[in-house]
Amino acid sequence: MFFVDTIEVAGLGNRSYLAGGGRTAVVVDPPRDIDRVIAAAARRGVRISHVVETHVHNDYVTGGLELARITGAAYLVPDAARVSYTRVPVHDGERHEIDAVAGLVLRAIATPGHTPHHTSYALEENGTAVAVFTGGSLLIGTVGRPDLVEPRLTEDLARAQHTSAHRLVTELPDEATVLPTHGFGSFCSAGQSAVASTTIGQEKASNAALTRDVDGFVADLLAGLDDIPAYYAHMGPANAAGPAPLDLTPPALADADEIAGRLAAGEWVVDLRNRIAFAEGHVAGSLNFEAEGQLATYLAWLVPWGRPVTLLAESAAQLAEAQRELARVGIDRPAAAAVGEPSRWTREGEAPTSFPRATFADLAEHPGDGIVVLDVRRNSERASGRVAGSVHIPVHTLRDRLHEVPDGRVWVHCAGGVRAAIAASLLDAAGRDVVAVDDRFESAEKAGLTVRTP
């Protein structure tokens, strides 16, 4: 009898897996914070005998190397992956025994497309494939994006995704569970699905890689590719070099004077509280990245890489969780931190600053000159509709394009409020008069605003 436990990495939209029998288990695509994986194995009472990577990841720092070192597990990495550390190079068709008593074997299946060396792993029980770990190959209703390695390879890799998907469904039974790493909000996915689980048979009937001819599939796949988070450029090299062990000890605590000094030095001071609390009062110059949102994705995307970051949190628990999430994308050690509320983070004689929040209905009541409507959604979102007359600067580019925002009071919106809050904090820190539209974009037309497609 076998088991598969899912280890959610929700902030990054990924999943890792622990799978095995009664004695030993394999870990697939582990996150940087391996204590969660070790705890999962302890709950099962199994020894981790193998750690495997489906590919060298572009969207997060792997914990595979350290997990293998600590547990003594064999570290399986595709043979063609260029890495700087010792590992067990995996070749197409190889089988690795996971649990002899349970009859569990892992079979490597070369599935290039997401990367040239990408490898999926079929979990076989007594010779029958019961599940397949597909990493960034066959996802739920889609495939992993093919444009993260090298622009000149993108079309070839897109065609390889089509071929790899067909190989998987040809070699595996319809009943086999498909267990991808990406596709749950990850920017490594070429699309998103609300479906939580799937099988080979279900993908045969619904996945475009399996229902479309190769030319049509590739054309649609390439046309639908979205922006690539800037920090991805640092993840692949970090994983190829071999990530350092993770240090989650609490950062040094900063008082109001140190916070002010770090702001004056051009460092980033990040307020992790929710956007409502931030708008009502915050340290002037600080930036709002909600701990409950996609903190790692958006902070790592916007911050100048390597710039010191100080975290302001409402509680020690919030700080610790944020530190863990940021470490997953290589922001390892906050320069400093503080816990509490803005009154404790501002120097004597200074007061927290604030800006208003509003809805699209409020915006509709304030037309006229002097009003700037700033849309910070991605290009793909704006293509489906926009507020007439709005300025478009995606939030991940705003830091370097603040000078493009016209004069006047800026009403900034996104699709739901989180990114608008980030943008509002950037504008507020730059001294602009800003209103954060904390509303769903669907409300714009209902409020009487003219929504047009470009």
Side-chain angles (χ1 to χ4, degrees):
M1 193 66 185
F2 74 96
F3 71 87
V4 177
D5 289 343
T6 301
I7 300 166
E8 296 278 358
V9 190
L12 297 178
N14 285 329
R15 290 177 176 176
S16 299
Y17 301 95
L18 173 74
R23 298 182 179 182
T24 51
V26 58
V27 178
V28 181
D29 291 342
R32 183 86 181 280
D33 47 331
I34 60 174
D35 56 328
R36 300 178 62 212
V37 181
I38 293 171
R43 287 192 294 269
R44 283 286 185 178
V46 294
R47 176 178 64 86
I48 297 173
S49 60
H50 295 76
V51 176
V52 306
E53 305 282 7
T54 56
H55 60 296
V56 175
H57 304 283
N58 288 291
D59 60 328
Y60 68 93
V61 180
T62 181
L65 183 62
E66 181 66 3
L67 181 61
R69 185 188 70 81
I70 287 177
T71 62
Y75 190 29
L76 278 56
V77 179
D79 174 63
R82 296 180 179 178
V83 296
S84 301
Y85 46 81
T86 301
R87 89 288 196 198
V88 177
V90 177
H91 301 84
D92 183 37
E94 283 187 354
R95 284 177 162 83
H96 294 266
E97 187 176 78
I98 302 303
D99 191 307
V101 175
L104 294 179
V105 171
L106 206 63
R107 176 167 66 93
I109 305 173
T111 48
H114 187 49
T115 67
H117 62 265
H118 191 284
T119 300
S120 299
Y121 299 88
L123 182 66
E124 298 178 344
E125 182 182 39
N126 298 320
T128 299
V130 292
V132 57
F133 302 102
T134 56
S137 183
L138 186 67
L139 310 185
I140 301 179
T142 185
V143 295
R145 58 193 299 172
D147 60 331
L148 302 180
V149 177
E150 161 61 53
R152 291 173 298 177
L153 298 177
T154 297
E155 182 171 347
D156 287 343
L157 289 176
R159 292 181 178 278
Q161 284 287 50
H162 189 271
T163 300
S164 292
H166 280 264
R167 180 183 181 187
L168 287 171
V169 301
T170 298
E171 294 190 10
L172 300 174
D174 286 355
E175 297 77 20
T177 303
V178 176
L179 300 169
T181 300
H182 304 314
F184 310 97
S186 167
F187 281 88
C188 270
S189 170
Q192 302 300 328
S193 173
V195 179
S197 62
T198 190
T199 64
I200 288 291
Q202 289 170 319
E203 291 308 303
K204 274 186 182 179
S206 61
N207 195 305
L210 301 168
T211 59
R212 299 286 309 279
D213 66 274
V214 62
D215 291 333
F217 165 75
V218 169
D220 287 349
L221 179 63
L222 299 184
L225 293 174
D226 214 331
D227 301 318
I228 301 173
Y231 70 91
Y232 277 28
H234 305 281
M235 299 297 96
N239 287 324
L246 181 60
D247 179 6
L248 290 178
T249 57
L253 295 180
D255 60 16
D257 287 334
E258 182 178 346
I259 291 170
R262 290 187 176 279
L263 282 167
E267 298 181 11
W268 274 35
V269 174
V270 173
D271 191 325
L272 300 168
R273 297 173 302 142
N274 70 67
R275 58 187 183 270
I276 298 174
F278 182 86
E280 291 176 348
H282 55 271
V283 176
S286 63
L287 304 174
N288 184 214
F289 290 80
E290 288 185 314
E292 292 77 18
Q294 287 182 287
L295 169 65
T297 294
Y298 284 106
L299 179 54
W301 200 337
L302 270 71
V303 68
W305 198 253
R307 183 76 58 88
V309 174
T310 293
L311 300 177
L312 307 180
E314 63 185 9
S315 67
Q318 185 182 66
L319 173 62
E321 185 57 34
Q323 184 179 351
R324 176 182 291 269
E325 186 169 348
L326 293 175
R328 293 170 182 156
V329 294
I331 302 178
D332 282 9
R333 296 295 303 162
V339 174
E341 57 186 25
S343 62
R344 298 174 57 182
W345 305 332
T346 51
R347 294 177 294 189
E348 186 174 353
E350 297 178 348
T353 189
S354 64
F355 54 76
R357 295 166 50 253
T359 64
F360 281 108
D362 297 323
L363 175 59
E365 294 176 1
H366 291 79
D369 295 336
I371 296 294
V372 178
V373 179
L374 176 62
D375 180 351
V376 296
R377 296 174 300 159
R378 295 188 298 277
N379 294 332
S380 59
E381 296 172 286
R382 187 170 170 87
S384 63
R386 59 181 172 83
V387 175
S390 60
V391 176
H392 182 225
I393 303 177
V395 69
H396 59 273
T397 69
L398 181 60
R399 185 197 77 205
D400 297 323
R401 298 175 62 187
L402 288 169
H403 62 282
E404 297 181 29
V405 181
D407 294 337
R409 174 172 253 202
V410 184
W411 291 64
V412 57
H413 80 83
C414 60
V418 173
R419 287 171 293 170
I422 295 172
S425 71
L426 285 164
L427 290 159
D428 178 69
R432 296 299 301 269
D433 182 10
V434 64
V435 178
V437 178
D438 194 355
D439 199 358
R440 298 195 62 79
F441 185 71
E442 290 83 353
S443 301
E445 191 166 13
K446 296 177 183 177
L449 295 169
T450 302
V451 177
R452 299 174 179 168
T453 54

